[in-house]
């Protein structure tokens, strides 16, 4: 067998991995666009099928209120402190919020790798109500290499005891 070159190694398991979480993701923006397009299409379909203009305007108003609520939540999210997810070498998972101490986090059952993206379903243990933090990260939000790295890191860390 060839001798192993000590200067060439794969990344050691003792290295922490860190991932900056965007306040508003591409999936969030896509949901807003779909809500706006769906409400406009339904209103158009009502008018085209001979429905009343009042019903069409009410549908547009309902769709607009949904989009406005989404936009308001995006503005609030952008004002929140930055979030960073850290997987430590010991297998623990921590959510760091700028200006606060880190919170131990476990992976929820909804966490999935979906093609080139990852859906994170995290439980923040320091919150007595068991708050969930869910986000869908795509290559439009974080680099593809980070998603690939985390698709390997996540299965090894943050699992609740007994799972």
């Amino acid at each position: 067998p060839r001798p192993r070159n000590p200067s060439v190694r794969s990344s050691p398991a003792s290295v922490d991995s860190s991932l900056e979480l965007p306040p508003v993701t591409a999936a969030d923006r896509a949901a807003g666009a779909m809500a706006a397009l769906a409400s406009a299409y339904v209103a158009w379909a009502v008018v085209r099928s001979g429905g009343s203009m009042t019903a069409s305007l009410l549908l547009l108003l309902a769709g607009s209120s949904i989009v406005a609520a989404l936009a308001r939540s995006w503005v609030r999210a952008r004002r929140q402190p930055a979030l960073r997810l850290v997987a430590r070498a010991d297998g623990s998972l921590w959510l760091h919020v700028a200006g606060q101490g880190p919170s131990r986090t476990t992976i929820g059952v909804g966490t999935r790798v979906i093609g080139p993206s990852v859906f994170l379903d995290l439980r923040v243990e320091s919150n007595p109500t068991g708050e969930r933090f869910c986000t869908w990260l795509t290559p439009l939000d974080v680099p593809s290499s980070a998603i690939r790295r985390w698709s390997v890191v996540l299965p090894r860390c943050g699992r609740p005891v007994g799972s």
Side-chain angles (χ1 to χ4, degrees):
R2 290 177 33 187
R4 191 166 179 180
N5 184 346
S7 65
V8 177
R9 304 186 244 183
S10 55
S11 59
S14 62
V15 174
D16 292 351
S17 290
S18 178
L19 179 65
E20 298 293 327
L21 300 174
V24 179
T25 64
D28 296 329
R29 292 187 297 272
M34 288 179 4
L37 290 173
S39 64
Y41 176 78
V42 170
W44 172 79
V46 167
V47 169
R48 182 164 175 163
S49 67
S52 73
M53 187 60 82
T54 303
S56 178
L57 288 174
L58 286 174
L59 288 168
L60 277 176
L61 182 61
S64 297
S65 65
I66 291 170
V67 173
L70 285 171
R72 215 172 18 256
S73 74
W74 298 339
V75 169
R76 276 194 310 268
R78 289 186 188 278
R79 291 181 184 154
Q80 296 297 318
L83 298 174
R84 187 168 41 99
L85 190 61
V86 175
R88 299 227 171 109
D90 64 1
S92 63
L93 193 62
W94 297 83
L95 185 62
H96 291 255
V97 179
Q100 299 176 14
S103 300
R104 188 170 181 98
T105 305
T106 57
I107 297 175
V109 295
T111 297
R112 300 275 186 278
V113 174
I114 305 168
S117 64
V118 63
F119 181 80
L120 296 174
D121 175 16
L122 305 173
R123 307 265 186 231
V124 181
E125 291 182 3
S126 64
N127 187 329
T129 60
E131 177 185 347
R132 288 175 63 191
F133 175 79
C134 298
T135 189
W136 188 357
L137 300 174
T138 68
L140 297 173
D141 304 309
V142 295
S144 296
S145 60
I147 292 175
R148 281 192 303 274
R149 182 175 58 247
W150 277 82
S151 68
V152 172
V153 168
L154 283 172
R156 297 189 325 229
C157 65
R159 292 284 177 199
V161 177
S163 64

